[in-house]
Amino acid sequence: MVFAHEPVLLAETIAALAPPTGGIAVDCTAGGGGHSHALGEALGAGGRLIALDRDPAAVDAARARLADLDCAWQVVQAPFSELDRVLEEAGIGRGSVDAILADVGVSSHQIDSAERGFSFAADGPLDMRMDPTTGDTAADLVNHLDEVELADVIFRLGDERQSRRIARTIVRRRETEPFARTADLAAVIERAVGGRKGARIHPATRSFQALRIAVNGELDQLDSLLRSALAWLKPGGRLGVITFHSGEDRRVKRWFALLRQDCVCEPKGPTCTCGWHAQVRLPQGKGWTAGPDELARNPRARSARLRVAERLDVPLLPPSGARHAR
Ligand SMILES: C[S@@+](CC[C@H](N)C(=O)[O-])C[C@H]1O[C@@H](n2cnc3c(N)ncnc32)[C@H](O)[C@@H]1O
């Protein structure tokens, strides 16, 4: 199967991160290598690109896509929560990277490969692991979480208002037959919510999104990346994060908002006692979303938002202020 994935917000990302000729860039989510390739082209012959992805199939696809680049490049199979280890092992110095990108979520290739189990539209094993060699599958969660936990996952990570009804139906059904296939789960969820009733999206869309985020620990991964990335950037270096889900975007927005504040005293008094200072500037506060041409070409871009933070030339503070970012 060809690795089909059209990179979203490609021109906006390269313009906003502006990787300089001969510089160093890190792509935390190589996928099909679309963004990586464009970053590598901008870096040119004297540059260095480190790409990572936790999915071995994406690593293979990205390696094939990057083969014609002039810059030095490598693609490492690792989750981006291990960014520190990957960059240390690559011999990159802290404070020396010009651009870091994370285009989080799943690729079209992952969704379209029925055997990976991400899709309610094509039947496959109920898996959903980006790295299929480790961790619990979606079937493990659906068959073993208790009803309250399952409803909570579906509500919190899928914004699904019918989460309790769906969880109750799943738990009743698994008493007689555990879930093993995506189409079976999708059909049970569809029945639980009373069919499609002219809905714009399949009734299982939100539940499947929730399970995928839970299986891959995506919010924890994102938090970990946000905490580690800035220390690798040089002053003036930029971190770009593309998200596809309001819960993820909110995390990025709040984290960047915290890093750009001069003071986090609570309550605010006449003098500042927190010792906090701004560590980034945000070149475009609201970030970037896809324009009409891209939306017409690529419906996946509908919910994509790119946010960028630029490291200031100031000492970094330990991220203990993280509670303010929640
Ligand atoms: C939206 S796609 C990226 C597409 C890529 N920018 C391109 O141009 O082809 C997301 C990719 O990130 C990977 N991914 C998601 N979460 C990850 C994580 N925590 N660590 C490493 N890779 C991750 C997925 O396996 C998938 O290949």
Side-chain angles (χ1 to χ4, degrees):
M1 184 178 188
V2 181
F3 196 105
H5 179 87
E6 178 167 351
V8 299
L9 296 167
L10 181 61
E12 292 85 350
T13 302
I14 302 304
L17 295 183
T21 310
I24 303 176
V26 177
D27 185 352
C28 299
T29 50
H35 285 106
S36 286
H37 195 272
L39 288 168
E41 277 183 331
L43 297 171
R48 181 147 185 221
L49 171 70
I50 319 281
L52 43 153
D53 201 294
R54 68 198 303 190
D55 182 343
V59 169
D60 288 345
R63 284 185 181 144
R65 179 80 177 89
L66 302 186
D68 66 354
L69 282 179
D70 291 331
C71 68
W73 61 268
Q74 66 197 94
V75 187
V76 181
Q77 196 220 329
F80 53 61
S81 54
E82 294 178 15
L83 183 71
D84 289 352
R85 176 186 64 78
V86 170
L87 296 187
E88 274 159 21
E89 285 176 9
I92 303 289
R94 282 174 196 267
S96 69
V97 176
D98 295 281
I100 300 179
L101 172 65
D103 172 20
V104 302
V106 267
S107 66
S108 310
H109 181 77
Q110 287 165 327
I111 297 275
D112 295 344
S113 306
E115 73 280 6
R116 301 295 301 273
F118 288 99
S119 173
F120 47 77
D123 189 32
L126 193 51
D127 191 318
M128 299 196 193
R129 290 170 301 169
M130 291 182 191
D131 176 355
T133 64
T134 177
D136 287 342
T137 65
D140 292 328
L141 298 193
V142 162
N143 291 323
H144 299 294
L145 285 184
D146 73 32
E147 187 179 322
V148 174
E149 286 174 319
L150 191 55
D152 183 52
V153 164
I154 295 172
F155 179 72
R156 258 188 330 106
L157 305 180
D159 299 320
E160 171 60 70
R161 280 181 295 141
Q162 308 215 57
S163 56
R164 288 203 193 145
R165 183 193 294 253
I166 292 170
R168 194 179 325 126
T169 309
I170 288 174
V171 167
R172 272 202 205 130
R173 174 16 238 277
R174 79 188 186 196
E175 283 163 8
T176 50
E177 187 188 350
F179 289 92
R181 309 284 301 177
T182 58
D184 179 28
L185 179 64
V188 167
I189 293 173
E190 187 173 340
R191 280 200 299 280
V193 300
R196 300 197 187 194
K197 291 188 228 145
R200 214 170 37 84
I201 57 171
H202 188 287
T205 307
R206 294 194 179 89
S207 302
F208 268 60
Q209 171 187 294
L211 288 169
R212 190 206 84 213
I213 292 174
V215 162
N216 294 290
E218 290 178 42
L219 298 183
D220 288 344
Q221 284 282 321
L222 181 57
D223 285 348
S224 164
L225 175 70
L226 291 173
R227 279 155 208 265
S228 61
L230 204 60
W232 293 98
L233 289 175
K234 58 169 64 156
R238 290 185 169 193
L239 166 65
V241 184
I242 302 172
T243 59
F244 293 84
H245 167 242
S246 56
E248 291 167 340
D249 179 54
R250 211 174 307 124
R251 278 175 138 76
V252 179
K253 180 177 155 186
R254 290 186 182 166
W255 183 253
F256 284 3
L258 169 72
L259 292 179
R260 76 181 276 271
Q261 281 180 63
D262 272 317
C263 162
V264 292
C265 284
E266 267 182 293
K268 292 262 183 265
T271 51
C272 170
T273 53
C274 65
W276 192 256
H277 60 242
Q279 294 151 76
V280 303
R281 74 174 194 98
L282 308 183
Q284 183 150 317
K286 285 186 160 33
W288 290 259
T289 54
D293 287 353
E294 178 167 9
L295 291 176
R297 223 179 38 244
N298 182 8
R300 249 190 99 251
R302 209 178 35 227
S303 46
R305 184 179 294 272
L306 165 68
R307 293 187 187 271
V308 171
E310 179 182 307
R311 181 175 170 181
L312 297 175
D313 193 1
V314 295
L316 294 186
L317 296 170
S320 52
R323 62 200 160 85
H324 297 279
R326 289 300 169 98

